[in-house]
Amino acid sequence: MRALITGVSGQDGSYLAELLLSKGYEVFGIVRRSSSETHERLTHIRDKIELIHADLLDQVSLSQALKRARPDEVYNLAAQSFVPTSWTQPVLTAEFTAVGVSRMLEAVRDVAPNAKFYQASSSEMFGKVLETPQRENTPFYPRSPYGVAKVYGHFITVNYRESYNLFAVSGILFNHESPRRGFEFVTRKITDGVARIKLGLAKELRLGNLDAKRDWGFAGDYVRAMWMMLQQPKPDDYVIATGVAHTVREFADKAFQSVGLKYQDFVVSDPAFYRPAEVDLLLGDATKAQKNLGWKPEVSFDQMIQIMVEADVRRLQDTVNRR
Ligand code: GDD
């Protein structure tokens, strides 16, 4: 089996590449050319996968990538994925996160119409939620240019399935985290902050809205669900979530506690990190995925925080030791 992953250098891309390699796949990944190509998350598997230069903004490059990879499965994980940036760069976000999906689907339809297609959809589409918990048929009410772009990506995937009979699925994934999470997202910002404070490298941690609630799972569990969706007899859409929500405050509380500190002594709520429109609560119901895919999360909320804090402490300790 051959798989092509867009966004392979990101958190989910790297976990998915590992999973597919362990299943004996030949893995191809799309990366954008840059003058400083590091792909840190891929270092340990760099010689086992083939990277192809292409860009979601460049239709021809996507077709060329598909011709090179000749994939049985295509995972579209690339996007402008940081919600706050979608207010400062709304048009670019739409180009990558919305129209980029059309470009990918057009390339698949043209070059690899028998390939199965996975679209990384997001719980951000539920936004100002119209029901709780959110499931596959909950109406969308996105609250950011990012959320709006993801709704486009979701429906264009459904539309290509219905228009052209492509095996195209949309996975509506709730927040999922790991030690490979980017530092700008709140969980990683917290675990990195906790490690810095513990090691005496920082004195405080400035966050935004501590009352926002999210359904946080472990990224390694979530990429397994992506693969499972493509092994089904029929293409369909699935919510992937743990079914438990916590506030940002609770996350911070547990993360600080895990190194014997109190978050109240270090966390400052700074209006600079508030969003123009907030998503107050996301809580998913993954019953359909449990029933049809046999999927369930394996790493708990507490375990995940522990793993993330320990990884950040280790990483920063190494840096300190090298000085
Ligand atoms: N980033 C960030 N930084 N968020 C903060 C902070 C802070 O300092 N303080 C509070 N928050 C709150 C945000 O306001 C938001 O309500 C919540 O923490 C989570 O923010 P993020 O971790 O940035 O994630 P997100 O929920 O906006 O989006 C993530 O999950 C989506 C799935 O629901 C991203 O991974 C998206 O790409 C993904 O689609």
Side-chain angles (χ1 to χ4, degrees):
M1 292 289 281
R2 299 161 72 94
L4 177 66
I5 305 173
T6 76
V8 72
S9 59
Q11 167 187 264
D12 291 5
S14 65
Y15 280 114
L16 180 64
E18 270 173 29
L19 176 78
L20 297 177
L21 286 172
S22 77
K23 292 183 183 297
Y25 279 62
E26 269 183 72
V27 178
F28 298 81
I30 288 184
V31 290
R32 273 180 295 160
R33 204 208 80 84
S34 127
S35 54
S36 55
E37 279 188 2
T38 49
H39 309 313
E40 281 161 26
R41 299 178 178 100
L42 298 174
T43 318
H44 60 300
I45 50 170
R46 181 62 198 86
D47 56 343
K48 300 196 180 76
I49 62 178
E50 182 174 324
L51 297 182
I52 303 173
H53 281 137
D55 198 307
L56 282 185
L57 303 189
D58 182 345
Q59 183 74 57
V60 174
S61 74
L62 299 177
S63 295
Q64 294 296 340
L66 282 161
K67 282 181 188 153
R68 166 78 201 123
R70 291 185 289 111
D72 302 291
E73 296 175 2
V74 176
Y75 295 86
N76 187 37
L77 312 187
Q80 190 302 96
S81 68
F82 188 46
V83 174
T85 298
S86 75
W87 278 285
T88 53
Q89 295 188 292
V91 177
L92 190 68
T93 299
E95 285 289 353
F96 280 117
T97 307
V99 188
V101 188
S102 284
R103 294 194 191 94
M104 226 24 233
L105 282 164
E106 273 298 287
V108 169
R109 189 166 82 85
D110 185 29
V111 177
N114 295 321
K116 295 179 174 180
F117 180 84
Y118 174 87
Q119 167 58 16
S121 289
S122 162
S123 52
E124 272 292 301
M125 301 191 299
F126 296 121
K128 194 169 157 66
V129 297
L130 295 172
E131 85 178 322
T132 296
Q134 295 88 48
R135 28 179 93 86
E136 289 78 6
N137 51 11
T138 301
F140 299 136
Y141 188 156
R143 288 274 275 175
S144 62
Y146 168 82
V148 174
K150 279 288 179 188
V151 171
Y152 177 99
H154 169 79
F155 278 123
I156 201 70
T157 302
V158 173
N159 182 259
Y160 270 54
R161 179 168 77 218
E162 295 174 357
S163 302
Y164 303 116
N165 215 14
L166 289 187
F167 192 111
V169 312
S170 169
I172 306 173
L173 271 50
F174 281 63
N175 298 48
H176 44 285
E177 318 296 314
S178 76
R180 298 186 199 168
R181 190 52 143 152
F183 289 100
E184 65 275 37
F185 298 92
V186 77
T187 56
R188 187 71 196 284
K189 188 173 168 184
I190 293 172
T191 60
D192 175 64
V194 164
R196 282 179 193 280
I197 290 168
K198 181 70 187 171
L199 297 174
L201 302 170
K203 289 195 169 58
E204 63 170 24
L205 175 59
R206 302 188 86 80
L207 298 174
N209 175 15
L210 301 179
D211 297 316
K213 281 186 137 180
R214 289 290 183 278
D215 179 331
W216 278 295
F218 176 64
D221 285 339
Y222 284 43
V223 299
R224 211 171 55 245
M226 298 176 185
W227 176 79
M228 286 171 148
M229 286 178 216
L230 294 194
Q231 312 316 310
Q232 299 309 300
K234 280 196 185 137
D236 204 348
D237 308 322
Y238 294 93
V239 157
I240 300 298
T242 69
V244 186
H246 299 271
T247 59
V248 171
R249 187 188 309 281
E250 284 164 0
F251 191 105
D253 186 18
K254 284 188 190 273
F256 275 94
Q257 266 187 40
S258 74
V259 296
L261 299 174
K262 278 195 189 155
Y263 86 93
Q264 292 93 332
D265 296 337
F266 304 99
V267 170
V268 180
S269 178
D270 182 341
F273 294 107
Y274 278 64
R275 298 175 178 186
E278 177 64 290
V279 171
D280 297 316
L281 160 73
L282 291 177
L283 174 62
D285 176 355
T287 307
K288 181 176 167 185
Q290 274 158 25
K291 233 173 85 201
N292 296 9
L293 308 178
W295 177 85
K296 63 174 173 26
E298 279 166 14
V299 178
S300 74
F301 181 66
D302 289 18
Q303 283 168 338
M304 185 177 74
I305 294 177
Q306 192 70 34
I307 293 170
M308 290 176 70
V309 171
E310 278 172 13
D312 276 323
V313 170
R314 218 176 309 123
R315 176 181 56 86
L316 288 167
Q317 186 74 66
D318 286 350
T319 331
V320 172
N321 292 345
R322 259 185 266 122
R323 277 185 195 161

